Amino acid sequence: MMVATGGIGGFPCMEPFIQSLPKTETHLHLEGALPYELLRAWRPETYPADPAFHAPDFRYPDFSKFDEILLGHALPWFTSAERYHEAARAVFAKHVAQNVRYVETSFHLPVTQFIAVPGREIIAAIRAAVPPGLEVRIFAGMLRTDYAGPMRAVIDDLENWDELSGVDLHGFERVPTEAWTAGVWARLRAAGKTTKCHAGEFDGAHRVREAIEQLGATRIQHGVRAIEDAAVVALAVERGVVFDVCPLSNVRLRVAASLAEHPLRALMQAGVRCTISTDDPLVFANSLNGEYAALAAEAGFTRAELVRLAANGWEAADVPAETRRRMLAEIDRLAGKTA
């Protein structure tokens, strides 16, 4: 076997190994994944080649600044179903290039009101951008306060959207979860939809408990601050809850001081099934392969740990049992070759 020189953090061949893993991405906001190069090509006078927030040492001072930069760059682009299609095509091409085989991505449901485009048209536009060899599941994301005005009727109709895989409650986590959510989430699960919830990022472990016990969520977006309460970690393990973790996002947003201090390994060692994703590459300048590589270089993750993360993604994925078996077998073969 040819051995590459160099490598990551003292691990020869780590980059080729990461590339070879059949990976999943299960926490990706499509608006936040808009490739910056599309903005640059569209309006080079507005979007500089090297924005300050792409610098490796850049940290967001707070959520409001993050939100300002994200929305300030995404909203000018996403004005039509065609723009969603163009962005999704570029995003999915990056996945294919990194040997990502399965993606769960969300679009921000209230955008349908801003741009007067029905959600089903946006989903169709995203779906039409999926290339061969990539499985994509599309989710509707919404804020904790969105069950009001015209959005209420839209949310109440989501159970009838056959093309929608599920929903995600996102936005600033310290906003209280309103009473409507549990009933709506239960109704959507009864209709076969997957229900996710952002929790344990900007607020503490109690919000992870709330998402599990009150909302019935078994997919937590982030979840990392569950580590602050051993009982919540145990609850997640007992219920088989998956944490879709975004390590570089957590560092950029100061949820974790560094990857070396990130609680991902501790959560995995406690038995929580964790996956790895990029969250919002538009404003974090990250990639999925880069997330794996950074865990190896900065947190000393071994190949066995990276293999476990890749396998966790397939165990959580909404795919036929035979696809899951085939992907896990492929990961096992790669792990055996490099043990």
Side-chain angles (χ1 to χ4, degrees):
M1 181 177 66
M2 182 174 66
V3 178
T5 58
I8 301 168
F11 295 88
C13 298
M14 190 64 91
E15 287 163 325
F17 173 67
I18 291 169
Q19 174 65 27
S20 71
L21 286 171
K23 294 175 289 293
T24 67
E25 169 123 57
T26 50
H27 182 166
L28 182 72
H29 303 276
L30 188 58
E31 293 89 357
L34 173 67
Y36 187 81
E37 57 266 27
L38 290 184
L39 289 175
R40 175 80 179 143
W42 176 45
R43 290 182 177 172
E45 72 284 358
T46 302
Y47 302 103
D50 298 304
F53 57 85
H54 277 186
D57 60 350
F58 181 83
R59 301 292 181 267
Y60 290 92
D62 50 39
F63 182 86
S64 63
K65 187 62 177 179
F66 156 77
D67 208 33
E68 174 190 328
I69 292 177
L70 174 61
L71 296 178
H73 286 77
L75 291 184
W77 175 271
F78 288 101
T79 57
S80 66
E82 291 75 18
R83 283 287 182 81
Y84 270 92
H85 175 81
E86 186 176 353
R89 186 172 58 185
V91 169
F92 296 152
K94 289 176 181 285
H95 282 118
V96 171
Q98 296 175 85
N99 199 23
V100 178
R101 315 273 185 89
Y102 174 89
V103 174
E104 293 177 3
T105 188
S106 65
F107 71 97
H108 189 48
L109 190 63
V111 170
T112 61
Q113 306 296 307
F114 307 157
I115 65 176
V117 177
R120 283 172 154 161
E121 287 187 23
I122 291 176
I123 293 172
I126 298 169
R127 175 63 54 197
V130 177
L134 185 67
E135 287 286 332
V136 173
R137 305 290 181 263
I138 302 171
F139 287 68
M142 64 198 75
L143 303 177
R144 286 171 166 80
T145 55
D146 276 340
Y147 198 61
M151 284 299 300
R152 181 169 188 151
V154 175
I155 293 170
D156 281 342
D157 191 44
L158 291 177
E159 62 195 83
N160 301 311
W161 294 17
D162 293 339
E163 60 275 39
L164 185 73
S165 292
V167 292
D168 178 20
L169 201 64
H170 61 206
F172 189 49
E173 186 188 350
R174 289 178 184 156
V175 173
T177 301
E178 297 179 356
W180 63 268
T181 317
V184 170
W185 255 225
R187 191 172 72 240
L188 286 165
R189 275 195 302 277
K193 309 299 184 188
T194 298
T195 54
K196 298 183 178 183
C197 181
H198 279 59
E201 181 191 18
F202 287 99
D203 212 342
H206 66 287
R207 299 307 292 271
V208 177
R209 180 181 291 279
E210 173 193 71
I212 296 171
E213 293 186 335
Q214 296 183 30
L215 303 187
T218 56
R219 296 288 299 280
I220 303 297
Q221 308 300 87
H222 298 295
V224 295
R225 290 188 59 186
I227 201 68
E228 297 168 5
D229 186 337
V232 174
V233 173
L235 174 67
V237 174
E238 176 190 347
R239 301 281 182 93
V241 175
V242 175
F243 287 4
D244 294 313
V245 181
C246 304
L248 292 176
S249 164
N250 295 156
V251 172
R252 290 291 188 108
L253 289 170
R254 303 176 190 264
V255 175
S258 68
L259 288 183
E261 300 168 75
H262 196 283
L264 174 61
R265 177 180 279 125
L267 288 167
M268 293 172 65
Q269 290 174 341
V272 179
R273 183 175 296 169
C274 297
T275 70
I276 294 299
S277 294
T278 58
D279 201 3
D280 296 290
L282 169 61
V283 290
F284 299 133
N286 54 343
S287 68
L288 194 60
N289 279 0
E291 295 276 348
Y292 278 78
L295 287 171
E298 299 178 39
F301 270 56
T302 65
R303 294 186 185 199
E305 288 174 310
L306 299 183
V307 161
R308 183 68 259 162
L309 288 166
N312 286 347
W314 286 106
E315 290 170 357
D318 176 20
V319 294
E322 174 55 27
T323 300
R324 181 177 296 106
R325 185 205 64 76
R326 190 172 67 252
M327 292 298 100
L328 292 174
E330 184 174 338
I331 291 171
D332 283 344
R333 285 194 298 272
L334 289 166
K337 287 179 183 178
T338 56

